[in-house]
Amino acid sequence: MTAMRSETSQEAPDLLPLLRDALDRGDPVRLAEVLSGYRTQALLEHWYELDAEERERVLSTLPPEAGAELLSNLSAEEQPEVLQGLTPPQVAGVLEELSPDDLADTLQALEAYDREQSEEVRGLLDPGTLAVADALTGYDEEEAGGLMTPEFISVRATMTGAQVMAFLRRAAPDAETIYYLYVVDAEQRLKGVLSLRQLIVSDPEQRVQEMMNPDIVSIHTDTDQEEVARIMADYDLSVLPVLDGDDRLVGIVTVDDVLDVVTEEATEDIHRMGAAPIDIDYARASPWLLFRKRSSWLILLVVSMTLTFNVINHYEDLIVELAILAAFIPLLIGTGGNVGAQVATLVVRALGTRELELRDYFKVFWKELKTGLLLGLAFGAFMTGYVYFFQDEPLVAVALGITMVLISLCANLVGASLPFLFRRFGIDPALTSSPGITTVMDVVGLLIYFRVVIWVLEPLLTGQPATPLP
Amino acid sequence: MTAMRSETSQEAPDLLPLLRDALDRGDPVRLAEVLSGYRTQALLEHWYELDAEERERVLSTLPPEAGAELLSNLSAEEQPEVLQGLTPPQVAGVLEELSPDDLADTLQALEAYDREQSEEVRGLLDPGTLAVADALTGYDEEEAGGLMTPEFISVRATMTGAQVMAFLRRAAPDAETIYYLYVVDAEQRLKGVLSLRQLIVSDPEQRVQEMMNPDIVSIHTDTDQEEVARIMADYDLSVLPVLDGDDRLVGIVTVDDVLDVVTEEATEDIHRMGAAPIDIDYARASPWLLFRKRSSWLILLVVSMTLTFNVINHYEDLIVELAILAAFIPLLIGTGGNVGAQVATLVVRALGTRELELRDYFKVFWKELKTGLLLGLAFGAFMTGYVYFFQDEPLVAVALGITMVLISLCANLVGASLPFLFRRFGIDPALTSSPGITTVMDVVGLLIYFRVVIWVLEPLLTGQPATPLP
């Protein structure tokens, strides 16, 4: 492979037909040959087009390093499945090539799936590797402890540049990064950081303490991964040192792990906001799994929405007398839902990126009071004109216009307030969700509608007295 | 500053009261003293709590390096505003400290805002710095060319390790990263990459061509920034070389720039899915600006929703005869909207992260046909039971149950299909949006509802003949 590869590998023939051919022929040598010509990433792009048995055959054919790279890109649910087709020595060979943080995750997944295979594999792993991985197992996967690797390079403040350089040459192959060296004291407490860049431009006889930067941004093992990503982005850092409860340096988090976190967290937020808080790979999920995961939220919304039936049913006499009132229901409550979902989206995202904090609530409330009034007046004017055009009945037109103003204003305030309320009580603001806001505004919108209609149209309603409010 | 700083700077006293005090006293020496004790990031956290005049005073008090760091964290709209309070030499001093890509963006923003100040400042900048920045101005901000910096280090394949090391010591201070060295030929064509790690562990007499990795992942100046982020995450890379149309190396993109891109793109997707495709900082926007940006989408939705009025109006006779039918409208069409918004959320995100591609459409269609049928049957059974309980009228209960099955199924297929349709025609799938799907399903749901009611309830409807379908 001496050719330069551009981003889409357009120059190389497509992997899938070659792979399929080799798999169909059942020729392991040909399969190995095909696989050796492609990056792991190319293989991953077609991974889900292979069946379970084919995936096992591919993994057992790959050299251990490539197998490890492939494995580390699979989800914790899938890893043990695909390892089933390998012999324990093959599994151990692949696992030895994983970084300690990935190894810890994979071992946990394997143990939960097949305790026997897990025990056998553990017996074949290097005890040192195993100990490092096991030390990481105790941490929460969503916190810095679960993201970090213990493979950092630490040096002492009294070493000279030349000594550090000599040490680096030996330590480099095993470290996750050699571009930041951490200066610790005898108790493993972090005293400073020395970049390789600084080391290279400094006099080799200078001591670390004179070259290092003592002003360090660090995190703790229990720092939430979202916070880790935010600190890294805010301070433009590519590595963060992780301290334990006694402020001793125990690991580092690198930016490539955080890049995945940002994407995962965005997916989580997006799913929650669409009332689909589902932690599965969509492409892999079966209809039955999707039904089970999706229906819990939808059922909650359907049941809540029966309230709309009760409201309308309560005002049935009004509709019997003036059936045209029913025809405006979807337009009115739908607009309320859209206004509320739109503002909730803006506020949820601003809370998520820390552009807004809890203390900003009153500022947001005032802003959205004004914005909601502007939107309400615009839609109210439209509504009045529209109804007048279709009904030629000024009082109905006025009632509908007033309803639209009030619904828009109310939806705007509800949509802006609920995310703050959720955050206040420690619930993810994204769980307010567009469908959730829509459902709330359906009920609230109907109550506003009928109240305004009774108030404005009383002179028109002569047949029966209007039903009093509940 | 020798104290170690933890992520939240809890140990240091809060910056805001100190800053406010210094600003109120109007004492520039005290202000400089306060600012020198804090990182730029701490200042940015309170930035929007200062008024315009205070921001100008803070910026003109900061040393140029800190001012540049602050400036590069502000939006293109705000940069020229805050620079207004500085003299042209002060502006030039700050701008000289920006990296070339940031300088190019800021100069463009300044020129658009105040041509006169821009000309004066350009006259004061170093001509070399200016030329590098101007060369970057031609690129689209959302493509690799707009993200890249030309400050990479390139070496020749024939150099020895020791020669490269000596060259590095001189070049290090100006380069964006020294951890990846790019090997180019006389035509500036990329031949390989040499990591500083490899260089350090290799024999100093070895030549670059023997140490370098010839297998390079690269991008072009017109590669979209989302694609850049995806390649970096997929290949676990922290730097990507950027080539021009003639495959010459012209710059590098580093992962810290891409981290911001991922967050920005997620915000864009989230906003679009909430029908709030707004490219402004929410916290800074005035109610009037929010009204203008938000109303265009809402007006489109309101106008589309007048169709619901027309459908219901068309079937007015039906409602006059059986008013209870109106009471189920929000429950039925709301559920359709929720089902559709939920599945659209899953599909839009999976398309965005490339978990799904256009070619997966039929697979998704079949999957959602089954999932939609399961959801429909569950909600249909609930609806039939609910209506029977409230109405004690089996035929109405059956009609409503059938409607619910059909609406759920239809919403699921529409929600899963529209994002693919948008992608097919080169529109961002996120623009389908939850409110958009809800609006479509309001209209479609009503058409299904009345059609089913007429079909099932025909024996009950004796007063007037049911209105024929349009």
Side-chain angles (χ1 to χ4, degrees):
Chain A
M1 277 205 298
T2 50
M4 205 183 64
R5 195 70 57 76
S6 91
E7 68 265 35
T8 45
S9 302
Q10 279 152 333
E11 298 82 0
D14 194 26
L15 169 60
L16 193 61
L18 291 171
L19 191 60
R20 187 111 282 156
D21 175 63
L23 284 165
D24 289 346
R25 283 205 236 167
D27 176 352
V29 179
R30 172 75 189 135
L31 182 59
E33 206 178 283
V34 168
L35 289 172
S36 73
Y38 289 82
R39 283 175 183 281
T40 310
Q41 195 52 43
L43 184 55
L44 274 166
E45 271 165 31
H46 298 293
W47 189 243
Y48 295 117
E49 290 159 50
L50 305 179
D51 65 30
E53 184 259 351
E54 287 171 337
R55 289 181 204 165
E56 289 175 8
R57 273 166 64 200
V58 167
L59 186 60
S60 62
T61 308
L62 283 174
E65 310 84 59
E69 200 191 331
L70 178 76
L71 200 65
S72 66
N73 275 290
L74 302 179
S75 69
E77 291 82 42
E78 200 189 353
Q79 288 178 346
E81 286 171 28
V82 73
L83 287 173
Q84 287 298 299
L86 277 63
T87 64
Q90 275 182 319
V91 175
V94 172
L95 263 48
E96 286 275 6
E97 300 295 329
L98 288 172
S99 65
D101 48 334
D102 286 338
L103 177 58
D105 295 341
T106 306
L107 280 174
Q108 268 186 295
L110 198 59
E111 192 174 332
Y113 189 86
D114 182 346
R115 209 185 169 79
E116 202 178 320
Q117 192 192 22
S118 156
E119 290 301 324
E120 265 189 272
V121 169
R122 287 180 69 94
L124 293 168
L125 287 173
D126 172 67
T129 310
L130 203 54
V132 173
D134 283 344
L136 291 175
T137 309
Y139 297 110
D140 187 328
E141 233 188 293
E142 306 238 309
E143 294 177 352
L147 280 179
M148 75 183 184
T149 170
E151 293 179 317
F152 56 87
I153 294 184
S154 61
V155 295
R156 289 298 168 83
T158 49
M159 288 167 86
T160 63
Q163 285 172 326
V164 171
M165 215 51 171
F167 171 64
L168 257 192
R169 290 205 174 83
R170 288 199 315 276
D174 290 325
E176 175 87 15
T177 179
I178 61 161
Y179 303 134
Y180 292 93
L181 315 173
Y182 294 95
V183 187
V184 295
D185 64 13
E187 278 83 43
Q188 194 69 8
R189 285 203 177 75
L190 190 57
K191 292 295 163 196
V193 62
L194 174 61
S195 71
L196 184 52
R197 181 196 291 242
Q198 183 61 46
L199 183 64
I200 281 179
V201 298
S202 299
D203 176 357
E205 290 315 306
Q206 234 185 332
R207 296 203 178 269
V208 168
Q209 60 207 7
E210 299 154 40
M211 298 184 278
M212 76 181 192
N213 180 358
D215 184 26
I216 312 159
V217 177
S218 64
I219 51 179
H220 282 88
T221 50
D222 61 355
T223 305
D224 185 79
Q225 61 177 5
E226 244 179 301
E227 181 71 7
V228 174
R230 204 172 66 87
I231 293 169
M232 230 171 220
D234 284 354
Y235 291 94
D236 276 340
L237 297 171
S238 59
V239 192
L240 276 176
V242 186
L243 311 181
D244 68 9
D246 298 323
D247 279 345
R248 283 176 310 215
L249 179 64
V250 288
I252 53 171
V253 175
T254 53
V255 70
D256 53 305
D257 296 320
V258 167
L259 204 54
D260 297 334
V261 166
V262 173
T263 306
E264 278 165 30
E265 293 281 347
T267 299
E268 194 181 287
D269 274 12
I270 288 173
H271 282 178
R272 286 182 175 181
M273 289 170 77
I278 296 175
D279 53 351
I280 45 170
D281 293 347
Y282 177 80
R284 293 186 63 218
S286 70
W288 178 242
L289 183 65
L290 281 173
F291 168 70
R292 277 183 302 144
K293 294 262 184 183
R294 289 176 57 190
S295 57
S296 52
W297 282 89
L298 289 174
I299 286 168
L300 185 74
L301 293 171
V302 170
V303 171
S304 314
M305 233 164 347
T306 57
L307 279 173
T308 60
F309 170 80
N310 292 309
V311 174
I312 303 178
N313 201 24
H314 183 83
Y315 292 104
E316 200 186 339
D317 299 342
L318 213 56
I319 288 173
V320 169
E321 203 184 327
L322 205 57
I324 193 75
L325 290 179
F328 293 111
I329 289 177
L331 177 50
L332 290 170
I333 64 179
T335 300
N338 289 341
V339 170
Q342 199 193 44
V343 71
T345 299
L346 290 172
V347 171
V348 165
R349 185 60 183 167
L351 283 169
T353 57
R354 308 272 158 175
E355 215 187 309
L356 289 178
E357 296 288 350
L358 214 43
R359 62 167 181 269
D360 297 319
Y361 176 63
F362 290 104
K363 226 158 53 185
V364 170
F365 185 89
W366 282 117
K367 188 191 282 197
E368 291 307 335
L369 187 73
K370 294 178 211 160
T371 311
L373 207 57
L374 288 170
L375 290 171
L377 290 172
F379 300 148
F382 168 81
M383 196 70 193
T384 305
Y386 184 78
V387 175
Y388 189 74
F389 176 75
F390 273 94
Q391 283 286 300
D392 197 15
E393 173 60 79
L395 265 189
V396 175
V398 167
L400 272 286
I402 293 174
T403 305
M404 197 61 141
V405 175
L406 293 179
I407 285 181
S408 300
L409 181 60
C410 181
N412 213 44
L413 294 179
V414 168
S417 302
L418 274 186
F420 278 100
L421 197 73
F422 273 48
R423 163 70 56 86
R424 172 68 191 77
F425 289 103
I427 306 165
D428 181 352
L431 284 171
T432 42
S433 81
S434 296
I437 296 273
T438 304
T439 302
V440 169
M441 283 317 300
D442 279 358
V443 180
V444 174
L446 286 170
L447 288 172
I448 294 176
Y449 181 32
F450 289 114
R451 195 73 204 89
V452 170
V453 160
I454 289 172
W455 177 59
V456 177
L457 297 187
E458 211 139 41
L460 279 188
L461 303 167
T462 45
Q464 293 151 269
T467 322
L469 259 192
Chain B
M1 276 204 298
T2 50
M4 207 184 61
R5 194 71 57 76
S6 90
E7 68 267 32
T8 44
S9 302
Q10 279 152 335
E11 298 82 0
D14 194 26
L15 169 61
L16 193 61
L18 292 171
L19 192 60
R20 187 108 284 158
D21 176 64
L23 283 166
D24 289 347
R25 282 205 238 168
D27 177 351
V29 179
R30 173 73 190 136
L31 183 58
E33 205 178 285
V34 168
L35 289 172
S36 74
Y38 289 83
R39 284 175 182 280
T40 310
Q41 195 51 43
L43 184 56
L44 274 167
E45 272 165 31
H46 298 293
W47 189 244
Y48 295 116
E49 290 159 51
L50 306 178
D51 65 31
E53 184 259 350
E54 287 170 338
R55 288 180 203 166
E56 289 176 6
R57 272 165 64 199
V58 167
L59 186 61
S60 61
T61 308
L62 284 174
E65 310 83 59
E69 198 189 334
L70 179 77
L71 200 66
S72 66
N73 276 290
L74 301 180
S75 68
E77 290 82 44
E78 200 187 353
Q79 288 178 345
E81 286 171 28
V82 74
L83 287 174
Q84 286 298 300
L86 277 63
T87 63
Q90 276 181 319
V91 175
V94 171
L95 263 48
E96 286 276 5
E97 299 294 329
L98 288 172
S99 65
D101 47 337
D102 286 338
L103 178 57
D105 295 341
T106 306
L107 280 175
Q108 268 187 296
L110 198 59
E111 193 175 332
Y113 189 86
D114 181 346
R115 210 186 165 80
E116 202 178 322
Q117 192 190 23
S118 157
E119 289 302 323
E120 266 189 272
V121 169
R122 288 180 68 96
L124 294 166
L125 287 173
D126 172 67
T129 311
L130 203 55
V132 173
D134 283 343
L136 291 174
T137 309
Y139 296 110
D140 186 329
E141 233 188 293
E142 307 237 311
E143 293 179 352
L147 281 178
M148 73 184 186
T149 168
E151 293 180 319
F152 57 86
I153 293 184
S154 61
V155 294
R156 290 297 167 85
T158 50
M159 289 167 86
T160 64
Q163 285 173 328
V164 171
M165 215 51 170
F167 172 63
L168 257 192
R169 288 204 177 86
R170 288 198 317 274
D174 290 325
E176 175 88 14
T177 179
I178 61 160
Y179 305 132
Y180 293 92
L181 315 173
Y182 295 94
V183 188
V184 294
D185 64 13
E187 277 83 43
Q188 195 69 6
R189 286 204 175 74
L190 190 57
K191 292 296 161 192
V193 61
L194 173 62
S195 71
L196 185 52
R197 181 196 291 241
Q198 184 61 45
L199 183 64
I200 280 178
V201 299
S202 300
D203 176 357
E205 291 314 306
Q206 235 185 331
R207 295 204 179 268
V208 168
Q209 60 208 9
E210 299 154 42
M211 300 184 277
M212 75 180 193
N213 180 357
D215 183 25
I216 312 158
V217 178
S218 64
I219 50 179
H220 281 89
T221 49
D222 61 354
T223 305
D224 184 79
Q225 60 177 4
E226 246 180 298
E227 180 71 7
V228 174
R230 203 170 68 84
I231 293 170
M232 233 172 218
D234 284 353
Y235 291 94
D236 277 340
L237 296 172
S238 59
V239 191
L240 276 176
V242 185
L243 311 182
D244 68 8
D246 297 324
D247 279 344
R248 283 176 310 214
L249 179 64
V250 287
I252 54 172
V253 174
T254 54
V255 70
D256 53 303
D257 295 321
V258 167
L259 204 54
D260 297 332
V261 166
V262 173
T263 306
E264 278 165 32
E265 293 282 345
T267 299
E268 192 181 289
D269 273 12
I270 288 173
H271 282 178
R272 287 182 175 182
M273 289 169 77
I278 296 176
D279 55 350
I280 45 171
D281 293 347
Y282 177 79
R284 293 186 62 218
S286 71
W288 178 243
L289 183 65
L290 281 172
F291 168 71
R292 278 182 301 145
K293 294 263 184 181
R294 288 176 58 191
S295 57
S296 52
W297 282 88
L298 289 174
I299 286 169
L300 186 73
L301 293 171
V302 170
V303 171
S304 313
M305 233 165 346
T306 56
L307 280 172
T308 61
F309 169 79
N310 292 309
V311 174
I312 303 178
N313 201 25
H314 183 81
Y315 292 103
E316 200 186 340
D317 299 342
L318 213 57
I319 288 174
V320 168
E321 203 184 330
L322 206 58
I324 193 75
L325 291 180
F328 294 111
I329 288 177
L331 178 49
L332 290 170
I333 65 178
T335 301
N338 290 342
V339 169
Q342 198 192 45
V343 71
T345 299
L346 291 171
V347 170
V348 166
R349 184 61 182 166
L351 282 170
T353 57
R354 307 273 157 171
E355 216 187 306
L356 288 178
E357 296 287 350
L358 215 44
R359 61 167 181 270
D360 298 318
Y361 176 63
F362 290 104
K363 226 156 58 186
V364 169
F365 186 90
W366 280 116
K367 187 191 278 196
E368 291 308 335
L369 187 73
K370 293 178 212 160
T371 310
L373 207 58
L374 287 170
L375 289 171
L377 290 173
F379 300 147
F382 168 82
M383 196 70 194
T384 305
Y386 183 78
V387 176
Y388 189 74
F389 176 76
F390 273 94
Q391 282 287 297
D392 196 15
E393 173 60 77
L395 264 190
V396 175
V398 167
L400 271 285
I402 293 174
T403 304
M404 198 60 141
V405 175
L406 293 179
I407 285 181
S408 301
L409 180 61
C410 182
N412 213 46
L413 293 180
V414 168
S417 302
L418 273 188
F420 278 100
L421 197 71
F422 274 49
R423 163 70 56 88
R424 172 67 190 77
F425 289 103
I427 306 165
D428 182 350
L431 284 171
T432 43
S433 82
S434 295
I437 296 273
T438 305
T439 302
V440 170
M441 283 318 299
D442 280 358
V443 179
V444 175
L446 287 171
L447 288 172
I448 293 176
Y449 182 32
F450 289 113
R451 197 73 204 90
V452 170
V453 161
I454 290 172
W455 177 58
V456 177
L457 298 186
E458 209 140 41
L460 280 186
L461 302 167
T462 46
Q464 294 154 264
T467 321
L469 259 192

